[in-house]
Amino acid sequence: MNEERSGALLAVESEMGRLVRAIRSTLLQNALRFSSEVQPSGYSVLRSIVANDPTPPGAIIADVGMDKSAVSRQLRVLKDLGFVTSAPAPDDRRASLYSPTPLALARLDEVHREIKAAYADVLDDWSDTDVSDFVRLLGSFNDRMERR
């Protein structure tokens, strides 16, 4: 491996660290935009429910990478605040399936508009091709990391 590539690979680690910090900050901001009563972990749980509606807790746990007790706590909070509902699973009445409420979907729409505006501002001077390439390369990177 040449010296230039070696340095670039170490720079990837550094830039990934910056990205993780930015993601944590963004997740906190988005959770606060959604509701001051929802923690970032609860916001992640809610996003998983919306993406996989209706969904059982086991699928949420796998999707967000949190332990069962943390997901259970967040589901309770989201349900108490009126952001999710639960219903018995048709194939196993002992299990529950979670779905977002219309209130949660409306608030998420607002948050998504704000997120799009923020990214549009940050990427304002990038061409459409650059944005598409960034999404493609980031997706490819994430896919490869998940397979490791």
Side-chain angles (χ1 to χ4, degrees), residues 13-29:
E13 178 187 27
S14 175
E15 292 303 319
M16 291 304 293
R18 288 179 60 199
L19 183 59
V20 166
R21 288 187 298 279
I23 289 168
R24 285 184 184 141
S25 174
T26 299
L27 184 58
L28 175 61
Q29 291 170 11

Side-chain angles (χ1 to χ4, degrees), residues 40-52:
S41 56
Y43 181 73
S44 294
V45 167
L46 180 61
R47 286 181 28 212
S48 177
I49 293 168
V50 170
N52 303 293

